[in-house]
């Protein structure tokens, strides 16, 4: 049964990766024609298909609503960085768009707007979080598992704020957490490079980095030192702003959280080692999702 659940989790993880094609390379203009620009000029929508104007406007409204929520909840030190260049949004009739890039914009497969509308709202918040974080970071380095952990959990919280139910993806993530080993999570939280894992010999590594990063962020919010940091997301946004100012990530983390990052890493691995099953997500956003699948 565990092996079956793991395969299903990977399947849904693959679906998520196909839903998000990632962010666009800095400075590259999309090949697709410009369909519409938001009224404030902040967002540009490109597409390789003939979008109905009402459809285009509805998507831009979805993006703007997600951005407004992020502005309110993340409390970035310098939110005007987003206004430096319009964010390029690409709606493509292609499920295999390439991933990677920087803070210029992001791509979503068009048909996912119709087949996974609730999850897509979280995807938009997730990717806008990445765009702004990358602009805040500048040339500084924030570990990939932190940025992915922020994106995934903020995507969930945004969906939750809209009153949307947990998705099959959320159940898959919770099951993965239940099955992670301390060794796997130690590899994740001690990988201090920016970005994803690029290892042709381990195609599951990115799923572990993203899911493990989300678990780490939720652990930091709810559990570390007995009480966690309920305001973990705006604190992490502050860390990212400090990194932009040239401070190494570990120093920025200590400045904002008042604790050595290595201490949190050690405590998290001890937590992973000493818990199993539903206890691993107690008080976290996935509490109640392990062993309870949403069939809707």
């Amino acid at each position: 049964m565990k092996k079956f659940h793991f395969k299903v989790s990977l399947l849904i993880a693959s679906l998520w990766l196909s839903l998000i094609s990632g962010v666009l390379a800095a400075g590259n203009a999309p090949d697709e024609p410009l369909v519409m620009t938001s009224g404030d000029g902040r967002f540009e929508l490109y597409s390789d298909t003939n979008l109905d104007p009402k459809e285009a406007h509805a998507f831009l409204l979805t993006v703007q609503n997600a951005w407004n929520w992020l502005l309110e909840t993340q409390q970035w030190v310098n939110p005007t960085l987003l206004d430096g260049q319009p964010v390029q949004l690409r709606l493509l009739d292609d499920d295999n768009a390439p991933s990677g890039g920087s803070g210029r914009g992001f791509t979503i497969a068009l048909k996912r707007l119709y087949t996974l509308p609730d999850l897509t709202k979280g995807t938009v918040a997730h990717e806008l979080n990445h765009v702004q974080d990358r602009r805040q970071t500048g040339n500084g380095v924030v570990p990939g598992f932190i940025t992915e952990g922020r994106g995934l959990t903020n995507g969930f919280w945004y969906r939750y704020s809209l009153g949307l139910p947990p998705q099959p993806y959320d159940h898959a993530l919770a099951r993965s957490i239940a099955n992670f080993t301390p060794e796997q999570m130690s590899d994740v939280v001690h990988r201090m490079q920016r970005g994803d894992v690029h290892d042709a010999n381990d195609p599951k590594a990115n799923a572990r980095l993203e899911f493990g990063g989300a678990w780490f962020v939720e652990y930091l919010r709810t559990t570390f030192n007995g009480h966690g940091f309920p305001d973990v997301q705006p604190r992490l946004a502050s860390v990212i702003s400090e990194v932009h100012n040239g401070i190494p990530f570990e120093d920025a983390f200590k400045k904002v959280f008042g604790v050595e990052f290595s201490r949190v890493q050690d405590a998290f691995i001890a937590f992973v080692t000493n818990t199993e099953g539903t206890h691993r997500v107690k008080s976290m956003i996935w509490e109640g999702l392990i062993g309870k699948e949403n069939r809707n």
Side-chain angles (χ1 to χ4, degrees):
M1 186 61 70
K2 282 187 178 180
K3 188 176 291 186
F4 172 75
H5 276 165
F6 183 64
K7 287 182 179 178
V8 173
S9 297
L10 284 177
L11 214 69
I12 297 180
S14 298
L15 177 62
W16 175 260
L17 291 173
S18 71
L19 173 62
I20 308 169
S21 73
V23 289
L24 300 170
N28 291 345
D31 295 330
E32 301 77 30
L34 177 65
V35 176
M36 188 175 290
T37 301
S38 63
D40 58 9
R42 181 175 285 148
F43 303 104
E44 297 175 344
L45 177 59
Y46 298 80
S47 184
D48 60 353
T49 190
N50 188 22
L51 287 179
D52 181 271
K54 291 183 179 179
E55 187 177 43
H57 178 76
F59 181 68
L60 280 176
L61 184 60
T62 294
V63 173
Q64 288 176 310
N65 287 339
W67 170 242
N68 290 337
W69 180 85
L70 286 167
L71 268 185
E72 180 180 345
T73 59
Q74 303 310 294
Q75 299 172 28
W76 280 294
V77 174
N78 187 8
T80 58
L81 280 175
L82 185 66
D83 298 328
Q85 293 177 308
V87 178
Q88 296 171 344
L89 314 167
R90 299 169 74 215
L91 282 179
L92 300 185
D93 190 17
D94 177 10
D95 291 338
N96 300 305
S99 61
S102 64
R104 193 66 181 94
F106 62 90
T107 302
I108 292 181
L110 178 63
K111 77 174 187 178
R112 301 299 182 185
L113 295 181
Y114 309 106
T115 59
L116 295 168
D118 290 352
L119 187 61
T120 299
K121 288 181 174 66
T123 301
V124 169
H126 176 141
E127 289 302 313
L128 282 174
N129 196 127
H130 283 337
V131 170
Q132 177 66 344
D133 276 357
R134 286 183 173 93
R135 293 185 180 191
Q136 292 278 351
T137 304
N139 293 324
V141 176
V142 175
F145 76 92
I146 294 291
T147 56
E148 288 302 332
R150 267 175 59 71
L152 283 175
T153 52
N154 273 330
F156 180 98
W157 283 117
Y158 179 58
R159 287 187 276 119
Y160 183 82
S161 77
L162 298 175
L164 301 174
Q167 301 296 298
Y169 172 78
D170 302 313
H171 292 268
L173 200 161
R175 287 195 301 271
S176 293
I177 288 173
N179 291 310
F180 283 143
T181 68
E183 292 76 18
Q184 288 173 329
M185 290 300 94
S186 182
D187 286 343
V188 166
V189 302
H190 288 95
R191 185 183 187 278
M192 300 302 288
Q193 300 96 320
R194 74 163 82 201
D196 292 338
V197 179
H198 300 288
D199 186 351
N201 297 317
D202 189 2
K204 301 170 186 174
N206 276 328
R208 286 197 298 272
L209 179 135
E210 295 185 3
F211 290 5
W215 190 17
F216 181 88
V217 169
E218 273 294 279
Y219 168 81
L220 189 55
R221 181 181 72 86
T222 64
T223 308
F224 175 73
N225 210 24
H227 49 74
F229 295 91
D231 58 346
V232 65
Q233 293 289 15
R235 282 180 184 257
L236 286 173
S238 294
V239 170
I240 286 168
S241 297
E242 293 290 343
V243 169
H244 178 82
N245 293 331
I247 300 176
F249 174 80
E250 291 92 335
D251 294 342
F253 186 92
K254 183 178 180 181
K255 179 178 179 180
V256 173
F257 283 89
V259 62
E260 296 281 356
F261 187 67
S262 60
R263 184 181 160 203
V264 183
Q265 290 170 308
D266 292 344
F268 176 68
I269 298 307
F271 173 78
V272 175
T273 302
N274 295 316
T275 57
E276 60 182 18
T278 58
H279 295 288
R280 287 185 159 190
V281 294
K282 182 176 174 56
S283 301
M284 299 183 190
I285 55 180
W286 311 284
E287 186 170 22
L289 298 188
I290 295 176
K292 181 183 176 184
E293 183 59 75
N294 179 359
R295 300 297 179 184
N296 295 331

